[in-house]
Amino acid sequence: EVWQEVLDAPRVGVDDDFFALGGHSLKATQVISRLRQVLDLQLPVRALFEHPTIAALAAAVDAIRAAGRRAPGGDLDLRPWVSEPVDPSLDPRALPQSFAQERMWFLDQLEPDSSAYILASALRLDGPLDDAAFGAAVDDLVERHSVLRTTFVADAAGRPIQRIEAAPRGLMRRIDLRHLDPAARDRTLDRLARDHALHRFDLARGPLLRVTLVQLEAASHAALVALHHIAADGWSIGVFVRELGALYAARRRGAPSPLPPLPLQVADVAVAQRRAFTGAVLDGHLAYWRERLTPLADPLALPTDRPRPTLPTYRGATHVTHLDRDDLARLHRFARRRGSTLFMTLLAAWATLLHRLGGQRTLVIGTPTAGRGQVELEGLIGCFLNTLALRVDVDPSMPFGDLLEAVRNEALRAYDHQDLPFERLVEELQPERNFNHMPLFQNLLVVQNAPVERLALPEVTLEMVPIAGRTAKFDLTLTASERSFIDGDPAAGADPSARDGLELALSYKTDLFDATTIRRLSGLLRRLLTAIVAQPETAVGALPLLDRAARHLELEWNDTAVRGLGRTDDDGPDLLHRRVERWASRQPDAPAVRCGAVVLSYRQLIDRAGRIARRLRALGVGPESFVGLWVERSVDFAAGILGILQAGGCYVPMDPRFPRERVRAMLDDAGATAVITHIALAAGDGENDAIDDLGCPALAIDVLLPIDADGETSVAAVDVGRA
């Protein structure tokens, strides 16, 4: 019966595989929590992975009981940590916040205008809706779940607390758009939906739920819903939809609520959490995470389109792609053959892609967990979401199958410690705090497998669909959803065709990445998933990422025999500076470089480049030498490039806005033989700044080759080098 309830299956045989019937990590957690109640036995989640049939799990339980010992899992206490309401003697207006609530309250104090922690969705309602009953059902829901009428403040001592307030009535706002033509109505609804998602909540005043009912036509509505993350999480959305439907139906009939009383409220869980995670229980969890995450891994190193800003803006966007149902089925079959889940397979693939792009062998990837490992928590609206920091060590020579096995073991061990609040872990590990990125990890993998509700009300079809967000808390977030993807604007109430398969949504910080970069990354991920299923024993570093067109382009770029870049009969490779020299011989007086009022002809450009090249050769520059190019925007930039190439070296461009210390570090890291610069840059403005303290010989090009008013290079040349 437990398996039937969790899997929503009419019949389950004792030899049926739990994961073949649609089970995954979240459902496994639900099964284990129910078995703990029924059997009064502490079982870790991995017990179901190791014994995935009823017969095998029953035999394992019998063996454990016969031996009189705890299930495999060491001495970790897996008993429920919350089971009863708050002590009635506690003041309901001065209760402690949970660890997650406290963190979000602090972030709200730090950035009060941010909309990064707002959950926004749209309810599509098709049919003759009783808006009075709908509004009353919203009020009933707020009365039922006290967190929706809770405020978050600091007490007299400055400690964050939560206060349960009286339930407001008439919470829902109404807007009628029937007077607008269809195009104007759609535009207005789109604006309302986005404003609804971005308008901040006042945590100190509440309520932390906004509902606006928008009438589109006589029998068509859109209900815009927004909640602050401090009061709800993704799982809560399913509870919200399910209970709102039941309460609406009861209001229509004039009947009392059909919902059973809640065993707990969110405040009860917060108090229990503060009491539970102390002493030996806390030490046991912390010991595991400390062993897995120290020393702390380096921040995510990916090539970005722009440097990271000093302060986060949370500006973001999302790119969505899909795997069709056949590709998804192949991924599931592959995962089952390996004793893994879709989540574990995606985690290994995501780690592979991040390694291939950034070169890091040790990665920490965040992943959210529902935080509802007890049956009592499953029916609550609230923020129970927790985050696991999973360490993945990638060796490019290891077969992908071996990496997946390592990831599987890492995830199963982490599930035993998933109740430890992430905020408490950060407090313990004390990573270096930096406002411009998240602690411990900067990327997230989310597999959406929380229950998704689609209900039919009396004469009304109701479905909740998230509104596309424009914020990003992490550099990259990969969200995979198996449910059908609905095209079009969800807030507009459209009913387009659905596509089965796997939706892969890649959210990103627009301060760091361009949309074209993310589209390419998304394509790489799709091709990687296809290659993994086809070639699981291929080394991680050899799995193909490029499609046929990209591979052809790569070969073309690297083929030194192609036209225009190939060898000439007498001069060797046809290099850039030789091309310029040939063109200069054809029209030496034609303009070659222009910057403002200064114009150099091809003859002048080649002359300047030759002088630079001779000076560089005298300093030892030749093949495989690196030369820094630290100059202001001017004709000297082009002359410097050509001069370095003529000398046989490679140029290292450096932004003139870079501070002196950054330039010195870049030159040292490159092992530069020399640097070409301008005297104003190299001389600096500090007491000890001098052109000879950059760590390598410096050529001040504007002193070495000054330009007169007519753009001519002066005959006199002054050598400026390191003393």
Side-chain angles (χ1 to χ4, degrees):
E1 291 180 359
V2 169
W3 285 35
Q4 287 175 302
E5 176 190 352
V6 172
L7 294 171
D8 193 23
R11 186 167 175 270
V12 177
V14 295
D15 294 317
D16 288 339
D17 188 289
F18 176 79
F19 299 100
L21 294 174
H24 46 67
S25 304
L26 177 58
K27 290 184 181 293
T29 301
Q30 291 180 283
V31 167
I32 293 298
S33 69
R34 286 159 171 74
L35 291 180
R36 286 175 189 157
Q37 287 186 328
V38 174
L39 302 176
D40 190 26
L41 180 68
Q42 298 180 44
L43 288 171
V45 173
R46 67 174 175 273
L48 188 52
F49 279 83
E50 295 168 352
H51 310 286
T53 67
I54 293 176
L57 188 60
V61 169
D62 289 342
I64 291 168
R65 283 179 163 168
R69 60 185 176 86
R70 183 176 290 178
D75 296 325
L76 184 66
D77 191 346
L78 297 170
R79 288 173 296 180
W81 53 271
V82 54
S83 57
E84 59 186 24
V86 166
D87 183 342
S89 65
L90 294 177
D91 183 356
R93 291 179 55 80
L95 297 171
Q97 298 180 16
S98 71
F99 290 104
Q101 288 172 338
E102 184 176 286
R103 177 170 175 267
M104 278 183 275
W105 177 82
F106 173 77
L107 289 172
D108 184 77
Q109 302 299 300
L110 192 65
E111 299 178 87
D113 295 327
S114 173
S115 59
Y117 291 91
I118 293 178
L119 303 177
S121 298
L123 278 167
R124 292 210 311 269
L125 304 158
D126 295 319
L129 180 73
D130 183 338
D131 66 340
F134 192 80
V138 171
D139 291 342
D140 292 342
L141 198 65
V142 175
E143 174 68 38
R144 175 174 169 80
H145 294 273
S146 64
V147 72
L148 298 179
R149 47 188 169 86
T150 296
T151 58
F152 297 84
V153 297
D155 63 13
R159 293 172 301 212
I161 60 172
Q162 54 180 310
R163 292 177 173 173
I164 299 176
E165 311 286 356
R169 305 302 296 180
L171 179 67
M172 187 179 75
R173 176 185 174 214
R174 293 170 172 83
I175 297 177
D176 193 341
L177 298 183
R178 286 177 293 176
H179 63 285
L180 298 177
D181 63 73
R185 186 178 60 213
D186 291 346
R187 289 194 302 270
T188 303
L189 181 60
D190 181 69
R191 177 181 55 78
L192 289 171
R194 299 198 183 283
D195 289 347
H196 207 74
L198 295 175
H199 186 67
R200 71 174 296 269
F201 286 98
D202 186 340
L203 300 189
R205 295 183 60 184
L208 302 183
L209 166 67
R210 266 196 310 268
V211 179
T212 301
L213 184 65
V214 184
Q215 184 155 14
L216 306 173
E217 296 176 356
S220 179
H221 295 74
L224 307 179
V225 180
L227 301 100
H228 195 282
H229 204 354
I230 202 170
D233 54 20
W235 182 292
S236 301
I237 302 302
V239 178
F240 184 99
V241 172
R242 182 175 65 251
E243 294 196 350
L244 184 63
L247 292 169
Y248 172 81
R251 282 285 183 173
R252 280 287 307 274
R253 299 192 308 270
S257 168
L259 302 174
L262 292 172
L264 298 166
Q265 291 286 347
V266 171
D268 303 327
V269 183
V271 172
Q273 185 188 65
R274 294 284 179 175
R275 291 174 176 171
F277 290 100
T278 58
V281 173
L282 176 63
D283 292 341
H285 287 296
L286 286 177
Y288 169 80
W289 289 112
R290 201 181 296 113
E291 184 271 328
R292 290 305 301 147
L293 297 177
T294 54
L296 296 176
D298 293 331
L300 184 65
L302 288 181
T304 60
D305 296 301
R306 282 169 294 282
R308 187 180 297 276
T310 304
L311 294 176
T313 67
Y314 298 114
R315 288 190 291 261
T318 301
H319 174 73
V320 178
T321 187
H322 299 83
L323 295 180
D324 62 31
R325 70 175 72 187
D326 293 334
D327 286 335
L328 176 58
R330 282 190 282 270
L331 273 176
H332 273 302
R333 288 194 296 270
F334 170 77
R336 285 199 298 271
R337 287 197 302 269
R338 300 277 173 166
S340 298
T341 62
L342 177 66
F343 163 74
M344 296 169 183
T345 304
L346 291 174
L347 177 60
W350 185 234
T352 296
L353 184 59
L354 295 179
H355 162 73
R356 294 282 294 273
L357 293 176
Q360 289 172 284
R361 292 196 173 204
T362 298
L363 295 158
V364 177
I365 298 173
T367 188
T369 62
R372 299 174 187 253
Q374 296 177 222
V375 178
E376 297 89 345
L377 306 182
E378 292 181 7
L380 294 183
I381 292 176
C383 182
F384 301 105
L385 189 75
N386 199 19
T387 307
L388 301 182
L390 300 179
R391 172 176 171 160
V392 182
D393 294 306
V394 183
D395 180 346
S397 65
M398 69 191 310
F400 179 83
D402 291 355
L403 176 62
L404 178 57
E405 177 66 18
V407 164
R408 175 184 182 276
N409 293 333
E410 178 75 13
L412 291 179
R413 288 194 299 268
Y415 291 154
D416 287 343
H417 302 272
Q418 63 180 300
D419 286 335
L420 179 70
F422 176 72
E423 294 73 20
R424 188 65 185 84
L425 175 62
V426 173
E427 180 183 331
E428 169 67 20
L429 297 181
Q430 295 187 348
E432 180 182 352
R433 294 306 183 106
N434 195 321
F435 282 118
N436 66 7
H437 64 70
M438 291 291 188
L440 297 188
F441 52 83
Q442 295 76 49
N443 75 102
L444 203 68
L445 172 64
V446 183
V447 175
Q448 292 282 20
N449 47 27
V452 178
E453 302 292 341
R454 184 185 179 99
L455 300 180
L457 304 181
E459 303 179 334
V460 178
T461 300
L462 176 152
E463 182 181 14
M464 181 168 269
V465 185
I467 298 173
R470 294 185 176 181
T471 61
K473 294 184 281 291
F474 296 89
D475 293 1
L476 290 172
T477 298
L478 175 62
T479 302
S481 307
E482 284 194 64
R483 61 182 181 270
S484 296
F485 172 74
I486 299 179
D487 296 304
D489 182 3
D495 185 24
S497 61
R499 276 188 282 174
D500 293 334
L502 185 68
E503 173 188 300
L504 296 170
L506 196 54
S507 301
Y508 59 97
K509 288 188 174 181
T510 53
D511 287 336
L512 299 179
F513 299 101
D514 290 332
T516 52
T517 299
I518 298 301
R519 284 197 295 270
R520 286 195 297 269
L521 197 154
S522 183
L524 295 178
L525 177 62
R526 283 174 52 88
R527 285 186 285 278
L528 180 61
L529 290 172
T530 301
I532 284 167
V533 173
Q535 311 168 44
E537 300 311 317
T538 302
V540 166
L543 284 165
L545 294 180
L546 304 180
D547 59 17
R548 181 177 301 176
R551 284 197 302 271
H552 176 75
L553 186 59
E554 180 187 36
L555 292 173
E556 185 178 87
W557 283 349
N558 286 282
D559 184 357
T560 57
V562 297
R563 185 171 61 87
L565 294 175
R567 290 184 172 276
T568 62
D569 293 336
D570 45 12
D571 291 330
D574 187 15
L575 302 176
L576 173 63
H577 61 282
R578 291 184 176 169
R579 285 189 177 192
V580 177
E581 290 166 0
R582 287 202 303 273
W583 191 260
S585 67
R586 298 173 189 168
Q587 45 181 12
D589 296 321
V593 185
R594 182 193 305 273
C595 185
V598 179
V599 179
L600 294 183
S601 67
Y602 276 98
R603 177 187 290 113
Q604 292 168 324
L605 177 62
I606 294 300
D607 176 69
R608 289 178 70 80
R611 294 180 185 222
I612 293 169
R614 289 192 292 275
R615 184 71 178 105
L616 291 176
R617 290 194 195 101
L619 293 173
V621 173
E624 307 300 326
S625 298
F626 289 92
V627 179
L629 189 57
W630 187 33
V631 297
E632 299 285 358
R633 185 180 182 89
S634 65
V635 296
D636 291 334
F637 187 80
I641 290 177
L642 289 177
I644 294 169
L645 295 178
Q646 284 186 12
C650 307
Y651 68 95
V652 181
M654 294 174 291
D655 196 312
R657 294 170 296 181
F658 284 169
R660 189 180 191 83
E661 293 75 15
R662 172 94 179 263
V663 171
R664 188 185 297 112
M666 290 178 67
L667 293 170
D668 179 66
D669 187 55
T673 305
V675 58
I676 295 173
T677 184
H678 283 146
I679 189 66
L681 283 175
D685 54 10
E687 291 184 5
N688 299 318
D689 288 348
I691 197 168
D692 61 350
D693 71 345
L694 292 174
C696 63
L699 299 182
I701 194 170
D702 49 344
V703 176
L704 177 66
L705 298 172
I707 298 177
D708 62 24
D710 296 324
E712 293 287 346
T713 302
S714 300
V715 176
V718 180
D719 291 346
V720 182
R722 185 168 59 182

